[in-house]
């Protein structure tokens, strides 16, 4: 029940159910369930911006996993710590924990988790890349992840979703390298992976992922100076980015559209898109500020409790 609420972005509602689950596990001496749920609890506290509780519960989970010599669970704890530091933009710490997770999962024979470690490491490096060499390093990790995931013959949609998500990030790396080097081979590799990702996400109704991958496809079209084709594609994307979309989604959409109009020397439409982009960017900033204030009050209330 807690997981269901968490996946619907209702962490506050999930919290009491999860605590009840942990209490049952502890009272029945089920350390494995308790350890798994401690990590889950840490994730919920991360959503609720309570850093002290994040570290406390992951460390509790880690203590149990180390005592029971549960390599897979130890790796899970390290991977979660990596994501916590990743979300805080703590580069050095995140990298250390991802490397620990990779080392452990290489011993367990869990191909999916091993592949997932490589994906997270590659994604992490790509987001923080400042030099061309770092993009090549990200490509190395993501390529390893793709090769491992392609070996897994599974109809599980969770596994498939992870694989096509990896395809999308790898495609974005390829087009960035193509832009830096002018090498069409990388651009063509981008097209190979991004087409597969977009088709899968649309088929599964995972529209946010499809739209995000669509922007990588636009980069590919811009690389080959196919501006009219890029414009037509973005206009088709508009049906997925409507008034019910998040402010950040609308902001990103009009920013991409603005760039294409500039490439087409259509400055009138570019200016109109810039106006909308600015409007949604400011609204998103104000919304984020209000959320940050609300989270601070929630954290204060939880600390008092």
């Amino acid at each position: 029940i807690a997981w269901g609420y968490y996946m619907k972005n209702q962490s506050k509602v999930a919290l009491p159910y999860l605590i009840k689950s942990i209490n049952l596990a502890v009272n029945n001496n089920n350390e494995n369930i308790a350890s798994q749920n401690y990590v889950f609890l840490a994730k919920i506290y991360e959503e609720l911006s309570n850093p002290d509780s994040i570290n406390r519960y992951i460390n509790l989970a880690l203590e149990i996993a180390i005592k029971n010599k549960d390599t897979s669970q130890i790796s899970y704890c390290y991977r979660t710590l990596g994501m916590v530091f990743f979300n805080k933009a703590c580069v050095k710490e995140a990298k250390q924990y991802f490397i620990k997770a990779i080392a452990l999962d290489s011993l367990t024979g869990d191909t999916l988790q091993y592949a997932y470690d490589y994906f997270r490491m590659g994604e992490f490096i790509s987001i923080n890349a400042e030099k061309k060499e770092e993009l090549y390093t990200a490509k190395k990790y993501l390529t390893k992840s793709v090769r491992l995931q392609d070996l897994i013959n599974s109809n599980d949609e969770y596994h498939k979703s992870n694989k096509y998500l990896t395809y999308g990030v790898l495609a974005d790396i390829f087009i960035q390298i193509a832009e830096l080097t002018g090498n069409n081979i990388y651009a063509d590799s981008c097209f190979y992976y991004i087409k597969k990702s977009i088709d899968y996400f649309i088929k599964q109704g995972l529209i946010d992922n499809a739209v995000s991958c669509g922007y990588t496809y636009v980069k590919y079209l811009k690389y080959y100076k196919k501006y009219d084709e890029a414009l037509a594609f973005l206009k088709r994307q508009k049906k997925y980015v409507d008034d019910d979309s998040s402010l950040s989604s609308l902001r990103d959409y009009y920013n991409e559209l603005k760039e294409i109009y500039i490439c087409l020397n259509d400055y009138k439409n570019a200016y109109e898109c810039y106006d909308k982009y600015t409007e949604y960017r400011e609204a998103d900033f104000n919304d984020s500020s209000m959320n940050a204030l609300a989270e601070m009050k929630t954290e204060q209330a939880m600390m008092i409790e």
Side-chain angles (χ1 to χ4, degrees):
I1 294 171
W3 184 254
Y5 281 117
Y6 175 75
M7 293 301 288
K8 292 180 71 178
N9 296 316
Q10 296 181 32
S11 292
K12 288 181 186 177
V13 182
L15 190 58
Y17 288 103
L18 183 57
I19 289 172
K20 184 176 283 190
S21 176
I22 288 171
N23 289 336
L24 286 166
V26 170
N27 291 336
N28 286 279
N29 297 315
N30 192 327
E31 289 189 326
N32 287 335
I33 295 294
S35 179
Q36 290 170 18
N37 281 351
Y38 282 144
V39 180
F40 184 14
L41 188 57
K43 290 180 178 180
I44 284 183
Y45 279 125
E46 184 181 17
E47 290 283 325
L48 298 174
S49 301
N50 192 325
D52 291 337
S53 294
I54 295 169
N55 294 330
R56 178 190 173 195
Y57 287 108
I58 291 181
N59 284 325
L60 278 174
L62 200 52
E63 284 175 17
I64 294 171
I66 290 171
K67 185 183 81 173
N68 294 335
K69 298 180 180 178
D70 186 342
T71 308
S72 181
Q73 182 65 5
I74 295 169
S75 171
Y76 180 45
C77 292
Y78 285 149
R79 189 164 46 253
T80 303
L81 281 166
M83 286 306 301
V84 168
F85 284 110
F86 174 84
N87 294 333
K88 290 180 178 178
C90 297
V91 177
K92 185 179 177 182
E93 292 83 356
K95 189 174 181 180
Q96 286 174 345
Y97 283 114
F98 284 138
I99 288 171
K100 285 183 178 182
I102 287 172
L104 288 171
D105 282 328
S106 70
L107 301 174
T108 63
D110 189 334
T111 306
L112 181 65
Q113 291 304 334
Y114 195 31
Y116 194 61
D117 292 335
Y118 275 120
F119 164 64
R120 283 301 181 195
M121 190 69 169
E123 181 189 39
F124 170 73
I125 293 171
S126 70
I127 288 173
N128 294 283
E130 295 179 351
K131 301 176 183 177
K132 184 170 67 175
E133 291 74 19
E134 291 172 321
L135 288 175
Y136 283 113
T137 303
K139 178 178 75 71
K140 181 183 75 173
Y141 280 109
L142 290 164
T143 302
K144 283 186 178 180
S145 180
V146 164
R147 286 174 180 167
L148 287 167
Q149 292 187 68
D150 284 342
L151 291 173
I152 301 168
N153 186 20
S154 171
N155 290 320
D156 188 296
E157 292 302 335
Y158 177 74
H159 297 172
K160 285 185 177 180
S161 182
N162 276 336
K163 180 170 79 170
Y164 287 103
L165 198 62
T166 310
Y167 281 6
V169 178
L170 180 58
D172 197 66
I173 293 293
F174 276 130
I175 199 61
Q176 287 186 62
I177 295 175
E179 289 168 348
L180 286 170
T181 63
N183 190 332
N184 293 351
I185 291 174
Y186 290 112
D188 295 339
S189 295
C190 166
F191 177 76
Y192 173 81
Y193 284 110
I194 207 61
K195 186 72 168 61
K196 287 176 178 287
S197 293
I198 293 171
D199 290 347
Y200 171 79
F201 289 131
I202 288 177
K203 183 180 177 182
Q204 296 302 316
L206 300 169
I207 302 305
D208 285 348
N209 287 338
V211 170
S212 178
C213 288
Y215 295 146
T216 299
Y217 180 57
V218 169
K219 288 182 186 178
Y220 163 80
L221 293 172
K222 284 169 67 179
Y223 175 83
Y224 281 114
K225 296 182 170 53
K226 298 180 179 180
Y227 303 131
D228 289 323
E229 202 173 323
L231 179 61
F233 177 81
L234 280 173
K235 285 184 174 180
R236 290 197 300 274
Q237 290 274 90
K238 183 65 175 71
K239 65 183 176 184
Y240 301 127
V241 186
D242 53 27
D243 293 337
D244 293 328
S245 300
S246 67
L247 293 169
S248 58
S249 295
L250 289 161
R251 175 202 65 200
D252 293 344
Y253 176 78
Y254 283 106
N255 187 48
E256 291 290 335
L257 199 56
K258 173 202 69 169
E259 293 297 323
I260 292 299
Y261 278 126
I262 289 172
C263 291
L264 289 166
N265 297 320
D266 185 345
Y267 297 110
K268 178 179 182 296
N269 278 314
Y271 185 76
E272 289 176 0
C273 288
Y274 178 74
D275 265 356
K276 286 184 176 291
Y277 161 72
T278 304
E279 175 190 339
Y280 289 121
R281 183 188 62 185
E282 290 176 355
D284 185 42
F285 176 78
N286 292 335
D287 192 44
S288 298
S289 298
M290 292 300 293
N291 286 338
L293 182 61
E295 285 176 359
M296 185 179 70
K297 289 181 178 178
T298 301
E299 184 179 348
Q300 288 174 340
M302 290 172 72
M303 288 174 72
I304 291 167
E305 185 182 346

